[in-house]
Amino acid sequence: MDNFQKDIDERANLALSNKFELLLFRLGSSPDGEKAELFGINVFKLREIVPMPTITKAAGMQSPLLGMANIREQIIPVIDLAAVAGCTPSTGLNLLLVTEYARSTQAFAVESVDNIVRLDWNQVHTAESGISSRNITSIACLESDGQSNNLAMVLDVEQILYDIMPSVRDAAPQEVARRAFKIKPGASVIVAEDSKVARTMLEQGLKTMGLPVIMHNTGLEAWEKIKRIAHEAQAAGQPISERIGLVLTDLEMPEMDGFTLTRNIKREEYLKKIPVVIHSSLSGSANEEHVRKVGADGYVAKFEINELAAAIQAALDKAAATMA
């Protein structure tokens, strides 16, 4: 038991050093008939791996939903991940990856699992400019030198669930309670989020709240933007609060994760009073503890618009009180 807990703690602490663990798996041959591509998912999203159980298919349920499975007395939906990716398994769908994603639990059916690799987030690069699939968010280079062709495609779980699960689509921004956000005129909210669908939902939600936003695909992009704004504000003799009202960041992102972005902000004297809210599908007490360690001002699980608005308001009120 002690070794098991030690393994959990070690894995959780990777997040404080811009590292993570990726589960590698295969779905079968690609549509062009080439060899089976390698895919990956963050281990933090994974609850367990189980052999394919009996699947019960409800009337009217269509691919890529396979049906429902009873996993440890919990009835959860099963998604045919090979069908989502357009792959053809040569030996069938043999395993379920049971995942906990923000407010939902679901299982992804895959052909086989390879192994777990430990990577630095700078080995992961955004795929939006080079990969046409809407379900791939980034490409992981599995060799630390960055020169190898040994690559894995990291799935955009948020996009997949949004496309397939009505309950996720229903969480899209609609109504939000009116709030008086304490943000200075001319200041913007800097957002870092690598999932396309999550970025769209966040942008719509923040605009509904009346907050001006500047969107970024990665933590590194957001950090470079923050440094440029800080340089301009310092040159003009302005406090950073005149330019940046809040930073809202995901945790899992190519090149630089949300913990590293937050830590970079909080260790700079000129920037450290910027309120930072972490908005992530990686829920759980371990991540909440890391949020405190890196100095973030709030943490909220994706995606409920009024909970997000409340977390933003609390962070802005806290920042206003410290400056008073």
Side-chain angles (χ1 to χ4, degrees):
M1 180 61 72
D2 289 341
N3 288 337
F4 179 72
Q5 185 60 49
K6 181 179 179 181
D7 184 60
I8 291 175
D9 292 341
E10 181 182 0
R11 181 168 292 157
N13 285 328
L14 288 174
L16 296 178
S17 57
N18 204 41
K19 297 180 184 293
F20 73 110
E21 288 186 328
L22 192 70
L23 174 75
L24 302 177
F25 59 91
R26 297 185 189 274
L27 300 174
S29 58
S30 58
D32 58 12
E34 295 295 327
K35 68 176 183 177
E37 297 282 3
L38 199 57
F39 293 86
I41 189 172
N42 193 329
V43 170
F44 254 126
K45 281 194 170 83
L46 187 68
R47 193 178 80 184
E48 60 183 319
I49 303 172
V50 298
M52 181 63 71
T54 300
I55 304 293
T56 302
K57 188 168 184 176
M61 190 172 285
Q62 297 180 339
S63 178
L65 274 175
L66 286 177
M68 309 296 289
N70 187 334
I71 307 294
R72 303 189 189 280
E73 305 305 317
Q74 182 181 11
I75 306 300
I76 62 175
V78 177
I79 298 168
D80 181 349
L81 206 49
V84 171
C87 295
T88 303
S90 59
T91 63
L93 297 172
N94 304 307
L95 298 170
L96 290 187
L97 310 182
V98 182
T99 64
E100 293 180 343
Y101 167 82
R103 302 166 192 275
S104 66
T105 301
Q106 54 283 311
F108 293 106
V110 304
E111 181 175 39
S112 62
V113 166
D114 274 33
N115 63 335
I116 292 175
V117 294
R118 185 168 294 184
L119 303 174
D120 193 295
W121 275 110
N122 63 23
Q123 292 175 245
V124 184
H125 305 283
T126 184
E128 292 192 354
S129 61
I131 299 291
S132 59
S133 173
R134 65 191 274 112
N135 298 317
I136 304 300
T137 187
S138 52
I139 302 295
C141 180
L142 304 182
E143 306 297 336
S144 59
D145 60 10
Q147 304 301 313
S148 170
N149 288 325
N150 190 14
L151 306 174
M153 294 185 285
V154 182
L155 292 171
D156 188 343
V157 178
E158 296 171 43
Q159 183 71 61
I160 293 169
L161 294 181
Y162 182 86
D163 289 341
I164 295 171
M165 307 294 290
S167 60
V168 175
R169 291 195 298 275
D170 291 344
Q174 295 176 2
E175 297 294 329
V176 59
R178 298 303 301 170
R179 297 174 182 271
F181 294 107
K182 295 179 180 178
I183 186 170
K184 293 186 178 181
S188 297
V189 175
I190 302 292
V191 178
E193 171 60 65
D194 69 319
S195 169
K196 296 179 285 295
V197 68
R199 269 202 314 277
T200 299
M201 293 171 72
L202 280 175
E203 188 168 19
Q204 291 173 352
L206 293 169
K207 287 182 177 178
T208 299
M209 297 177 205
L211 293 170
V213 299
I214 304 175
M215 307 297 297
H216 301 85
N217 295 358
T218 73
L220 183 59
E221 285 182 16
W223 176 234
E224 294 298 333
K225 180 67 171 181
I226 290 167
K227 289 193 293 183
R228 287 195 297 272
I229 292 175
H231 178 75
E232 294 167 0
Q234 285 181 306
Q238 295 178 310
I240 193 62
S241 59
E242 298 282 345
R243 302 289 187 95
I244 301 175
L246 178 102
V247 172
L248 180 64
T249 179
D250 187 18
L251 287 183
E252 297 180 283
M253 291 181 291
E255 300 170 342
M256 180 186 291
D257 68 9
F259 286 130
T260 303
L261 173 61
T262 303
R263 191 165 52 246
N264 285 351
I265 293 168
K266 294 300 183 179
R267 72 185 178 190
E268 294 286 339
E269 186 65 29
Y270 183 67
L271 302 175
K272 67 182 183 181
K273 291 185 178 180
I274 298 174
V276 178
V277 172
I278 291 176
H279 181 241
S280 175
S281 62
L282 297 178
S283 55
S285 58
N287 281 313
E288 292 177 23
E289 176 62 25
H290 291 331
V291 167
R292 289 188 287 273
K293 286 182 179 179
V294 299
D297 302 282
Y299 177 89
V300 62
K302 294 176 181 177
F303 187 91
E304 204 287 317
I305 187 67
N306 283 293
E307 288 185 14
L308 177 59
I312 289 173
Q313 183 177 46
L316 290 171
D317 289 348
K318 176 184 173 183
T322 60
M323 295 178 185

